[in-house]
Amino acid sequence: MKLAIITGGSKGLGKALVDIYANAHWQVVEFSRSGNSQNHQTCDFSEPDSCTDTLNKTFKQLSNNCYSEIVLINNVGTLAPVGPLESTQPQDWQQNIQINLNACVTTTGLFLKYFSKQDANIKIANISSGAAVKPFYGWSLYCATKSAIETFTSCIALETQNNKNLSIMTIRPGVIDTQMQQTIRDQDEANFTDVAHFNALKTDNKLQTPTIAAKKIIKLFSQSPLSGQVYDLNEVILK
């Protein structure tokens, strides 16, 4: 039996991953607010207490089974708020950090608690962004949380280095034609000064589809990726 756990799996890259794994006859569980497939488990990552409770109960139940392969992909994320920090609100800062960083920490920690001792090939992928290393005007929280995820992933790789069945990595997927990209293009230049660049990416057909990005992630998994590394999907070639 093979298990794929995906957060933020109701749309975009997450949904593409859910569909591919489900079609390959894996047991798939996707956590999100808005999913409606048979693989869906309702989880509001902006609510830390209910999110933790849902993950804890679901992981405990799933861990009663034995698996040959287990994949966790922490994909949930939000761009908001966009704009200079002083023009946005504290509750929005806190929600961004909760969804982009705290949810990843909680999901990873509980996953390790319940699955790290399984005799299975285990891979954890935390979805990051080029924004982790490149600052953007108006994206202070998004950039900061993605950078934090990369350092967090490196630390967990050190903590699990003696577990030869487990690898954890960060993936920068590149620009994908999703609702998030539409949100970026809809921004006022006063809040996001690089909006023209992202509009040009769409106009010039330089956005990859969610399905292509998902296939690249699965191909990367098949290439025995090293734990603690950052992988750029632009360097993964599909034949």
Side-chain angles (χ1 to χ4, degrees):
M1 187 183 301
K2 300 178 181 181
L3 173 65
I5 299 170
I6 300 163
T7 69
S10 63
K11 53 190 175 182
L13 174 60
K15 184 178 186 303
L17 286 161
V18 167
D19 290 344
I20 290 174
Y21 277 115
N23 287 336
H25 306 294
W26 285 52
Q27 180 181 357
V28 180
V29 181
E30 73 89 1
F31 294 93
S32 66
R33 287 185 299 180
S34 57
N36 56 14
S37 73
Q38 63 180 3
N39 307 298
H40 174 65
Q41 177 68 54
T42 300
C43 187
D44 186 347
F45 287 99
S46 69
E47 298 290 342
D49 291 339
S50 65
C51 166
T52 300
D53 186 58
T54 297
L55 291 168
N56 195 57
K57 289 179 179 177
T58 306
F59 286 176
K60 183 177 182 180
Q61 182 178 14
L62 289 170
S63 66
N64 289 325
N65 299 317
C66 294
Y67 304 94
S68 59
E69 293 184 54
I70 309 173
V71 166
L72 167 64
I73 303 175
N74 282 306
N75 173 68
V76 68
T78 183
L79 193 63
V82 175
L85 191 66
E86 65 185 37
S87 69
T88 56
Q89 300 302 314
Q91 60 266 31
D92 297 324
W93 312 337
Q94 294 158 9
Q95 181 163 294
N96 180 288
I97 294 169
Q98 169 57 33
I99 294 172
N100 285 347
L101 178 59
N102 294 349
C104 177
V105 172
T106 300
T107 306
T108 302
L110 290 174
F111 176 87
L112 291 171
K113 175 181 177 181
Y114 285 108
F115 295 103
S116 63
K117 300 297 191 295
Q118 287 234 1
D119 186 18
N121 184 344
I122 302 171
K123 292 183 176 65
I124 303 172
N126 294 329
I127 303 300
S128 183
S129 166
V133 292
K134 178 181 178 181
F136 286 89
Y137 182 99
W139 282 11
S140 58
L141 289 163
Y142 185 75
C143 293
T145 52
K146 291 304 183 182
S147 180
I149 279 178
E150 297 200 354
T151 303
F152 167 74
T153 303
S154 298
C155 291
I156 300 304
L158 284 176
E159 294 174 5
T160 58
Q161 62 185 332
N162 292 327
N163 186 341
K164 303 308 179 184
N165 291 330
L166 186 149
S167 60
I168 180 170
M169 69 213 72
T170 303
I171 295 176
R172 298 177 189 163
V175 287
I176 307 173
D177 197 3
T178 64
Q179 181 58 48
M180 181 177 285
Q181 284 293 315
Q182 182 63 57
T183 299
I184 293 170
R185 296 192 297 273
D186 289 342
Q187 296 302 312
D188 188 287
E189 191 172 4
N191 288 328
F192 181 58
T193 56
D194 288 280
V195 66
H197 169 69
F198 284 86
N199 275 309
L201 291 175
K202 177 68 171 178
T203 302
D204 297 341
N205 294 317
K206 292 185 177 180
L207 301 179
Q208 60 186 328
T209 67
T211 299
I212 290 296
K215 288 180 177 179
K216 286 183 176 182
I217 290 173
I218 291 169
K219 181 171 184 180
L220 175 64
F221 285 168
S222 73
Q223 297 173 334
S224 301
L226 297 176
S227 195
Q229 297 300 301
V230 178
Y231 291 95
D232 186 338
L233 287 192
N234 290 323
E235 299 173 0
V236 177
I237 307 301
L238 294 177
K239 292 184 179 179

PDB file of all heavy atoms in Angstrom, residues 85-100:
ATOM      1  N   LEU A  85       4.279  46.580   4.364  1.00  0.00           N
ATOM      2  CA  LEU A  85       3.813  46.045   5.635  1.00  0.00           C
ATOM      3  C   LEU A  85       2.946  47.055   6.396  1.00  0.00           C
ATOM      4  O   LEU A  85       1.916  46.698   6.970  1.00  0.00           O
ATOM      5  CB  LEU A  85       5.006  45.618   6.488  1.00  0.00           C
ATOM      6  CG  LEU A  85       4.684  44.809   7.746  1.00  0.00           C
ATOM      7  CD1 LEU A  85       4.097  43.456   7.381  1.00  0.00           C
ATOM      8  CD2 LEU A  85       5.937  44.626   8.600  1.00  0.00           C
ATOM      9  N   GLU A  86       3.345  48.305   6.384  1.00  0.00           N
ATOM     10  CA  GLU A  86       2.623  49.312   7.151  1.00  0.00           C
ATOM     11  C   GLU A  86       1.224  49.585   6.620  1.00  0.00           C
ATOM     12  O   GLU A  86       0.390  50.149   7.330  1.00  0.00           O
ATOM     13  CB  GLU A  86       3.406  50.627   7.177  1.00  0.00           C
ATOM     14  CG  GLU A  86       3.551  51.284   5.808  1.00  0.00           C
ATOM     15  CD  GLU A  86       4.440  52.515   5.849  1.00  0.00           C
ATOM     16  OE1 GLU A  86       5.433  52.519   6.598  1.00  0.00           O
ATOM     17  OE2 GLU A  86       4.138  53.470   5.107  1.00  0.00           O
ATOM     18  N   SER A  87       0.957  49.150   5.393  1.00  0.00           N
ATOM     19  CA  SER A  87      -0.366  49.385   4.807  1.00  0.00           C
ATOM     20  C   SER A  87      -1.318  48.211   5.031  1.00  0.00           C
ATOM     21  O   SER A  87      -2.480  48.264   4.626  1.00  0.00           O
ATOM     22  CB  SER A  87      -0.242  49.661   3.310  1.00  0.00           C
ATOM     23  OG  SER A  87       0.151  48.482   2.606  1.00  0.00           O
ATOM     24  N   THR A  88      -0.832  47.135   5.653  1.00  0.00           N
ATOM     25  CA  THR A  88      -1.663  45.958   5.912  1.00  0.00           C
ATOM     26  C   THR A  88      -1.880  45.809   7.415  1.00  0.00           C
ATOM     27  O   THR A  88      -1.367  46.582   8.213  1.00  0.00           O
ATOM     28  CB  THR A  88      -1.008  44.702   5.323  1.00  0.00           C
ATOM     29  OG1 THR A  88       0.326  44.548   5.860  1.00  0.00           O
ATOM     30  CG2 THR A  88      -0.896  44.827   3.798  1.00  0.00           C
ATOM     31  N   GLN A  89      -2.660  44.809   7.775  1.00  0.00           N
ATOM     32  CA  GLN A  89      -3.134  44.700   9.152  1.00  0.00           C
ATOM     33  C   GLN A  89      -2.477  43.543   9.914  1.00  0.00           C
ATOM     34  O   GLN A  89      -2.168  42.499   9.331  1.00  0.00           O
ATOM     35  CB  GLN A  89      -4.650  44.512   9.161  1.00  0.00           C
ATOM     36  CG  GLN A  89      -5.419  45.655   8.524  1.00  0.00           C
ATOM     37  CD  GLN A  89      -5.122  46.985   9.197  1.00  0.00           C
ATOM     38  OE1 GLN A  89      -5.105  47.094  10.427  1.00  0.00           O
ATOM     39  NE2 GLN A  89      -4.877  48.016   8.385  1.00  0.00           N
ATOM     40  N   PRO A  90      -2.304  43.710  11.235  1.00  0.00           N
ATOM     41  CA  PRO A  90      -1.663  42.656  12.036  1.00  0.00           C
ATOM     42  C   PRO A  90      -2.338  41.291  11.916  1.00  0.00           C
ATOM     43  O   PRO A  90      -1.651  40.259  11.882  1.00  0.00           O
ATOM     44  CB  PRO A  90      -1.761  43.201  13.471  1.00  0.00           C
ATOM     45  CG  PRO A  90      -1.759  44.676  13.299  1.00  0.00           C
ATOM     46  CD  PRO A  90      -2.540  44.926  12.037  1.00  0.00           C
ATOM     47  N   GLN A  91      -3.667  41.272  11.846  1.00  0.00           N
ATOM     48  CA  GLN A  91      -4.336  39.973  11.744  1.00  0.00           C
ATOM     49  C   GLN A  91      -3.990  39.269  10.431  1.00  0.00           C
ATOM     50  O   GLN A  91      -3.941  38.035  10.368  1.00  0.00           O
ATOM     51  CB  GLN A  91      -5.854  40.112  11.890  1.00  0.00           C
ATOM     52  CG  GLN A  91      -6.534  40.986  10.854  1.00  0.00           C
ATOM     53  CD  GLN A  91      -6.701  42.420  11.326  1.00  0.00           C
ATOM     54  OE1 GLN A  91      -5.874  42.926  12.098  1.00  0.00           O
ATOM     55  NE2 GLN A  91      -7.776  43.065  10.882  1.00  0.00           N
ATOM     56  N   ASP A  92      -3.723  40.068   9.385  1.00  0.00           N
ATOM     57  CA  ASP A  92      -3.329  39.481   8.107  1.00  0.00           C
ATOM     58  C   ASP A  92      -1.896  38.965   8.160  1.00  0.00           C
ATOM     59  O   ASP A  92      -1.569  37.947   7.542  1.00  0.00           O
ATOM     60  CB  ASP A  92      -3.481  40.507   6.984  1.00  0.00           C
ATOM     61  CG  ASP A  92      -4.918  40.942   6.782  1.00  0.00           C
ATOM     62  OD1 ASP A  92      -5.820  40.099   6.944  1.00  0.00           O
ATOM     63  OD2 ASP A  92      -5.143  42.128   6.472  1.00  0.00           O
ATOM     64  N   TRP A  93      -1.015  39.667   8.896  1.00  0.00           N
ATOM     65  CA  TRP A  93       0.355  39.174   9.062  1.00  0.00           C
ATOM     66  C   TRP A  93       0.332  37.824   9.769  1.00  0.00           C
ATOM     67  O   TRP A  93       1.016  36.884   9.361  1.00  0.00           O
ATOM     68  CB  TRP A  93       1.189  40.150   9.893  1.00  0.00           C
ATOM     69  CG  TRP A  93       1.108  41.589   9.494  1.00  0.00           C
ATOM     70  CD1 TRP A  93       0.757  42.092   8.266  1.00  0.00           C
ATOM     71  CD2 TRP A  93       1.375  42.720  10.339  1.00  0.00           C
ATOM     72  NE1 TRP A  93       0.792  43.468   8.292  1.00  0.00           N
ATOM     73  CE2 TRP A  93       1.171  43.882   9.543  1.00  0.00           C
ATOM     74  CE3 TRP A  93       1.773  42.867  11.662  1.00  0.00           C
ATOM     75  CZ2 TRP A  93       1.351  45.172  10.061  1.00  0.00           C
ATOM     76  CZ3 TRP A  93       1.963  44.143  12.172  1.00  0.00           C
ATOM     77  CH2 TRP A  93       1.756  45.277  11.380  1.00  0.00           C
ATOM     78  N   GLN A  94      -0.453  37.747  10.828  1.00  0.00           N
ATOM     79  CA  GLN A  94      -0.505  36.529  11.634  1.00  0.00           C
ATOM     80  C   GLN A  94      -1.087  35.366  10.838  1.00  0.00           C
ATOM     81  O   GLN A  94      -0.615  34.222  10.949  1.00  0.00           O
ATOM     82  CB  GLN A  94      -1.309  36.789  12.899  1.00  0.00           C
ATOM     83  CG  GLN A  94      -0.635  37.787  13.846  1.00  0.00           C
ATOM     84  CD  GLN A  94      -1.585  38.450  14.816  1.00  0.00           C
ATOM     85  OE1 GLN A  94      -2.747  38.066  14.926  1.00  0.00           O
ATOM     86  NE2 GLN A  94      -1.103  39.458  15.523  1.00  0.00           N
ATOM     87  N   GLN A  95      -2.090  35.653   9.999  1.00  0.00           N
ATOM     88  CA  GLN A  95      -2.690  34.577   9.212  1.00  0.00           C
ATOM     89  C   GLN A  95      -1.716  34.073   8.159  1.00  0.00           C
ATOM     90  O   GLN A  95      -1.640  32.867   7.897  1.00  0.00           O
ATOM     91  CB  GLN A  95      -3.990  35.058   8.546  1.00  0.00           C
ATOM     92  CG  GLN A  95      -4.660  33.969   7.733  1.00  0.00           C
ATOM     93  CD  GLN A  95      -6.101  34.285   7.429  1.00  0.00           C
ATOM     94  OE1 GLN A  95      -6.947  34.352   8.313  1.00  0.00           O
ATOM     95  NE2 GLN A  95      -6.389  34.501   6.158  1.00  0.00           N
ATOM     96  N   ASN A  96      -0.952  34.980   7.549  1.00  0.00           N
ATOM     97  CA  ASN A  96       0.039  34.563   6.569  1.00  0.00           C
ATOM     98  C   ASN A  96       1.061  33.625   7.206  1.00  0.00           C
ATOM     99  O   ASN A  96       1.370  32.558   6.652  1.00  0.00           O
ATOM    100  CB  ASN A  96       0.740  35.795   5.986  1.00  0.00           C
ATOM    101  CG  ASN A  96       1.794  35.448   4.947  1.00  0.00           C
ATOM    102  OD1 ASN A  96       2.850  34.935   5.275  1.00  0.00           O
ATOM    103  ND2 ASN A  96       1.509  35.742   3.687  1.00  0.00           N
ATOM    104  N   ILE A  97       1.573  33.996   8.359  1.00  0.00           N
ATOM    105  CA  ILE A  97       2.569  33.168   9.047  1.00  0.00           C
ATOM    106  C   ILE A  97       1.959  31.835   9.472  1.00  0.00           C
ATOM    107  O   ILE A  97       2.610  30.779   9.383  1.00  0.00           O
ATOM    108  CB  ILE A  97       3.145  33.928  10.246  1.00  0.00           C
ATOM    109  CG1 ILE A  97       3.933  35.148   9.761  1.00  0.00           C
ATOM    110  CG2 ILE A  97       4.036  33.017  11.095  1.00  0.00           C
ATOM    111  CD1 ILE A  97       4.314  36.119  10.853  1.00  0.00           C
ATOM    112  N   GLN A  98       0.716  31.845   9.895  1.00  0.00           N
ATOM    113  CA  GLN A  98       0.042  30.614  10.290  1.00  0.00           C
ATOM    114  C   GLN A  98      -0.090  29.648   9.114  1.00  0.00           C
ATOM    115  O   GLN A  98       0.234  28.458   9.224  1.00  0.00           O
ATOM    116  CB  GLN A  98      -1.340  30.923  10.875  1.00  0.00           C
ATOM    117  CG  GLN A  98      -2.238  29.720  11.085  1.00  0.00           C
ATOM    118  CD  GLN A  98      -1.631  28.654  11.980  1.00  0.00           C
ATOM    119  OE1 GLN A  98      -0.889  28.970  12.912  1.00  0.00           O
ATOM    120  NE2 GLN A  98      -1.941  27.402  11.695  1.00  0.00           N
ATOM    121  N   ILE A  99      -0.550  30.153   7.974  1.00  0.00           N
ATOM    122  CA  ILE A  99      -0.786  29.281   6.818  1.00  0.00           C
ATOM    123  C   ILE A  99       0.520  28.862   6.155  1.00  0.00           C
ATOM    124  O   ILE A  99       0.712  27.690   5.809  1.00  0.00           O
ATOM    125  CB  ILE A  99      -1.715  29.983   5.802  1.00  0.00           C
ATOM    126  CG1 ILE A  99      -3.105  30.181   6.409  1.00  0.00           C
ATOM    127  CG2 ILE A  99      -1.807  29.180   4.509  1.00  0.00           C
ATOM    128  CD1 ILE A  99      -4.038  31.028   5.561  1.00  0.00           C
ATOM    129  N   ASN A 100       1.423  29.810   5.964  1.00  0.00           N
ATOM    130  CA  ASN A 100       2.634  29.527   5.189  1.00  0.00           C
ATOM    131  C   ASN A 100       3.717  28.801   5.981  1.00  0.00           C
ATOM    132  O   ASN A 100       4.475  28.022   5.400  1.00  0.00           O
ATOM    133  CB  ASN A 100       3.223  30.828   4.639  1.00  0.00           C
ATOM    134  CG  ASN A 100       2.436  31.373   3.466  1.00  0.00           C
ATOM    135  OD1 ASN A 100       1.600  30.691   2.898  1.00  0.00           O
ATOM    136  ND2 ASN A 100       2.702  32.610   3.110  1.00  0.00           N
TER     137      ASN A 100
END
